[in-house]
Amino acid sequence: MDAQLKKGLLEVCVLVSLKKEESYGYKIISDISPYIEISESTLYPILKRLEATGCLTTRTKEHNGRLRKYYMITEAGKRKIRESIVDLNDLKRVYDYIYREGI
């Protein structure tokens, strides 16, 4: 998969994984991994970027004697999901054309 396309999809996948409830890094990876490959070294820069753009907020909480960082989606993050769905619908039309005519 094209790296730039995957980067954009991963950002949206992270946001979608946080839509129902806050979560932490390892859980986000396990939620997304069945659909698209993601590693810790890929996830954390994405989380940092989404936080910097106001799509996420964070809080720290103790868990089993260690501090764990939890991520929560903001209204800006939800808006980014909606905008991405429009873009993905456009991309799907192109994919359908290529798949149908390229075979």
Side-chain angles (χ1 to χ4, degrees), residues 51-68:
E51 185 178 8
T53 59
C55 292
L56 298 179
T57 59
T58 62
R59 72 178 180 93
T60 305
K61 180 181 174 185
E62 189 173 325
H63 177 76
N64 292 336
R66 295 179 52 201
L67 289 179
R68 180 183 277 172

Side-chain angles (χ1 to χ4, degrees), residues 3-66:
Q4 289 300 318
L5 178 59
K6 184 175 181 179
K7 177 183 166 189
L9 290 174
L10 283 172
E11 285 187 1
V12 177
C13 287
V14 168
L15 291 170
V16 168
S17 77
L18 295 168
K19 194 169 177 203
K20 291 183 182 174
E21 63 184 358
E22 68 180 16
S23 193
Y24 54 96
Y26 181 78
K27 175 92 167 70
I28 295 168
I29 289 172
S30 17
D31 290 344
I32 295 172
S33 289
Y35 306 100
I36 189 168
E37 185 180 328
I38 187 168
S39 65
E40 286 183 35
S41 62
T42 301
L43 175 65
Y44 288 104
I46 290 171
L47 290 168
K48 196 172 227 177
R49 192 168 44 252
L50 289 170
E51 185 178 8
T53 59
C55 292
L56 298 179
T57 59
T58 62
R59 72 178 180 93
T60 305
K61 180 181 174 185
E62 189 173 325
H63 177 76
N64 292 336
R66 295 179 52 201

Side-chain angles (χ1 to χ4, degrees), residues 55-97:
C55 292
L56 298 179
T57 59
T58 62
R59 72 178 180 93
T60 305
K61 180 181 174 185
E62 189 173 325
H63 177 76
N64 292 336
R66 295 179 52 201
L67 289 179
R68 180 183 277 172
K69 195 171 193 177
Y70 286 84
Y71 300 88
M72 295 143 293
I73 193 168
T74 63
E75 283 305 314
K78 291 174 184 176
R79 189 170 43 253
K80 184 172 175 73
I81 291 172
R82 290 189 299 272
E83 292 166 357
S84 296
I85 288 171
V86 171
D87 293 342
L88 288 170
N89 282 330
D90 291 344
L91 184 60
K92 184 180 180 319
R93 282 195 303 277
V94 173
Y95 169 82
D96 289 344
Y97 168 73

